[in-house]
Amino acid sequence: MSFSAIVFLLAFAAAVWWFTRNVRRIRRNILLGREEDRTDRSGERWALMAKVALGQSKMVVRPIAGILHIVVYAGFVIINIEVLEIIIDGIFGTHRVLSFMGGFYDFLIGSFEVLAVLTWLGCAIFLVRRFILRIKRFWMPEMTAWPRTDAGLILTFEILLMSAFLLMNAADHTLQGMGVEHYVVAGAFPVSAHLAQLFHFSALAPSTLIGIERFSWWFHIIGILGFLNYLPYSKHFHILLAFPNVWYSKLKPKTEMSEMPRVTGEVKSMLDPSIPPPAPPAEPANGLPSEHFGAKDVFDLTWKSLMDAYTCTECGRCTSECPANMTGKLLSPRKIVMDTRDRLEEVGKVIDAKGQWEDDGKSLFSRISEEELWACTTCNACTQACPVNIDPVEIILDMRRYLVMEESKARQELNAMFTTIENNGAAWAFGPDQRMKWTEE
Amino acid sequence: MKDPIKVPTMAEFAATGEVPEVLFWVGCMGSFDDRARKISKAFVRILTAAKVKFAVLGQEESCTGDPARRAGNEFLFQMQALQNVTVLNGYGVKRIVTACPHCFNTIKNEYPALGGQYEVMHHTQFINALLKEGRITVDGGSFKGKRITFHDPCYLGRGNGEYEAPREVLLKLDAALVEMKRSKEKGLCCGAGGAQMWKEAEPGKKEVNVERTEEAIGTEATIIAAGCPFCNTMLNDGVKHFNKEGDVVVKDVAELIAEAGDL
């Protein structure tokens, strides 16, 4: 085995190992959430995933961003088929091992090149929209330094990867034309042939061209392995989680709130003293905090809310449709989801460092204020807008439940409304005896 | 002067051993709010004209618990819900119609888990069915040449996927139905949901209902049609904010149909 094959194998193994380690960490963090069954109606779930995640049906609601996104997504995914060949070539020292497919291979390489250019352009336009046109939703308060840098890095990186791919082909194509040994004539190069001409590659010495070709090859493959390992630290992880996250979508009506069976048990016992109150929930193991009514911290949210948090790619469509946000309130659904993720990462780091959870004195409320929570109208414009079916409303309502049921911290007027309902069975101060008055007027 | 309306209660029905075709769930707004009571009455006139055998719970009706639940008070919600379910099941209620999308959503989607299984319809769905079955007819002539825009209630539209019933009803009027840019799935909230109705809005630079009414007025419609008593209030306040009371009215779909049918 050649030296470069050994280097390649080591890099590949290290990349897979590190990536797997991080995916397992994220999975563990997601499973810190409360249980909830989201496996019913599986046929419907597969169909939804095909439509929304694979088919990107909600992306194209905004046509410009949507179509560009499909180009970049399709380009990136399809070009990565080429990685298969790159891996085999890397291990066995072959060159274009799949070229035995003949005409079909030419077709594949030719299409990859076209897609690479489209992806390159798509990313460039995205960069312009984000950093030169400065589209509003990319510059809202929660888009602090890191989220902005993250987005810029992803787009720049994809442009570099596509450039390396095309440059590699341009050098390869020229070497094939020169009849240089090892560079078998294979593939069609509708784009890079022009690139080779543009850069006068035919005037370069074969050794220089081999240098360019090898450099680009290594840059492309190490770049992809590096990019793979960047994903778990980035909003870009959505390219993987989008699929399961849509599969596990809430299929119930958007405005149906989650059940709280423990409360039902207590209320039934209050209404009928012959029914014993439910047993208190068991103390959780591993130092995890005991169960609350509603959500104080990530442990109290469902695992799906936590998966939502890791799936968010911070596009801000939720916030740009939010009536509270557009009228200047503090609430931004995107911030709620990002804060949940950041808090979950913080909790995960404590567990990594101490071997199990130890209270750090913080919670979701260290990041999310009551003012944000009370600004929500539960209109579900955010859940409708999210291209990957994230549900910020569920987090907001779970946190309201905690505020009210554990801390008695509702807005004052809401406390008055509670009292009125308790006393009159109506949300306004009219007794049952006045219920029929409207019929008499 | 129109004939006074007759609104029988479930208790009266039970006393005679009869079973009504449907229970009209009036809701707190429909019972107590001055503006929303007019909607209840308009809907009763439609039911009466269609010869629908209906009843209300009257004194036995209690808040569904929707605002308490959205404001985080699950205990209070479930207290209300379990008591209502007991009353409804006691009368053997099968079908419910309500003019409030919040009551509609709660009874339809959230009561089943607490033992209350009913067929629940929003009044625009019910009216649409009455029109389709020919149980009522309307002559939309008096609306000829007018422009109407429909504001989707979040709890009916996005929440429960019903965008068409209110529009199909409105199309029976001889008016032009114009859409706001933000309609159906993209409809903008009136600002009242999630228990906001009972509190001051959090600090901001604009009220949600003003933002929405501005858009409705922008369609140059003279009638803003609503399907929710809360939206109705918010949009009315919005119209007042712009001093447009003379040019634009906010009417519930039921009121428009009752008016067209001279009920």
Side-chain angles (χ1 to χ4, degrees), chain B residues 148-165:
Chain B
I148 302 181
T149 190
F150 179 69
H151 164 82
D152 288 280
C154 304
Y155 275 65
L156 182 67
R158 265 193 302 275
N160 287 286
E162 181 59 87
Y163 303 106
E164 295 312 320

Side-chain angles (χ1 to χ4, degrees), chain A residues 61-62 136 252-268 270-271 293 321-330 370-384 397 400-402 404-405 410-411 413-414 417-419 421-422 424-428 430-441, chain B residues 4-5 7-9 24 26-34 37 40-41 44 56-59 61-63 65 67-76 78-80 82-83 105 108-110 113-114 154-155 158-160 163 182 185-189 191-208 211 230:
Chain A
V61 171
R62 299 190 184 191
K136 194 179 151 208
K252 292 175 179 169
K254 284 191 164 60
T255 41
E256 178 180 334
M257 278 179 69
S258 62
E259 293 164 30
M260 293 188 78
R262 221 179 102 206
V263 172
T264 312
E266 302 218 3
V267 171
K268 279 190 170 157
M270 271 153 69
L271 293 173
F293 287 121
E321 306 267 337
C322 172
N325 189 277
M326 70 177 69
T327 53
K329 277 81 172 176
L330 202 56
E370 292 174 34
E371 184 177 331
E372 290 164 72
L373 299 173
W374 291 119
C376 177
T377 68
T378 68
C379 77
N380 277 286
C382 53
T383 57
Q384 179 72 40
L397 290 174
R400 281 189 183 180
R401 280 172 162 170
Y402 173 80
V404 171
M405 289 193 278
R411 289 288 188 244
E413 310 103 294
L414 294 179
M417 179 261 286
F418 296 153
T419 310
I421 294 180
E422 278 165 21
N424 302 302
W428 287 277
F430 297 98
D433 55 319
Q434 296 181 68
R435 280 251 171 212
M436 290 297 276
K437 266 201 148 173
W438 64 277
T439 64
E440 296 153 13
E441 289 160 348
Chain B
I5 51 169
V7 185
T9 62
F24 172 29
V26 188
C28 297
M29 280 292 270
S31 304
F32 303 124
D33 179 80
D34 282 343
R37 287 156 95 143
S40 304
K41 280 185 260 185
V44 163
V56 300
L57 283 176
Q59 297 203 15
E61 186 182 298
S62 193
C63 172
R69 190 173 219 198
R70 268 81 205 156
N73 195 336
E74 183 71 13
F75 278 95
L76 183 53
Q78 294 207 13
M79 292 282 284
Q80 290 298 117
L82 286 167
Q83 292 178 65
N105 175 71
K108 181 176 191 286
N109 300 323
E110 299 180 349
L114 299 165
C154 304
Y155 275 65
R158 265 193 302 275
N160 287 286
Y163 303 106
R182 291 175 286 197
E185 286 88 349
K186 289 177 84 79
L188 182 72
C189 178
Q196 297 293 337
M197 184 73 184
W198 286 268
K199 62 187 271 299
E200 285 300 313
E202 298 301 316
K205 57 180 175 7
K206 197 175 186 180
E207 296 292 340
V208 177
E211 169 84 13
F230 296 102

Side-chain angles (χ1 to χ4, degrees), chain B residues 59-133:
Chain B
Q59 297 203 15
E60 293 178 282
E61 186 182 298
S62 193
C63 172
T64 60
D66 160 89
R69 190 173 219 198
R70 268 81 205 156
N73 195 336
E74 183 71 13
F75 278 95
L76 183 53
F77 161 70
Q78 294 207 13
M79 292 282 284
Q80 290 298 117
L82 286 167
Q83 292 178 65
N84 281 324
V85 166
T86 305
V87 172
L88 290 167
N89 289 353
Y91 282 119
V93 171
K94 301 271 187 296
R95 294 178 81 206
I96 299 175
V97 62
T98 176
C100 172
H102 295 264
C103 299
F104 166 75
N105 175 71
T106 302
I107 301 173
K108 181 176 191 286
N109 300 323
E110 299 180 349
Y111 278 15
L114 299 165
Q117 306 269 357
Y118 320 101
E119 183 199 338
V120 189
M121 293 175 89
H122 185 246
H123 71 316
T124 58
Q125 297 173 321
F126 199 85
I127 294 169
N128 198 28
L130 293 178
L131 286 164
K132 282 188 174 163
E133 290 160 14

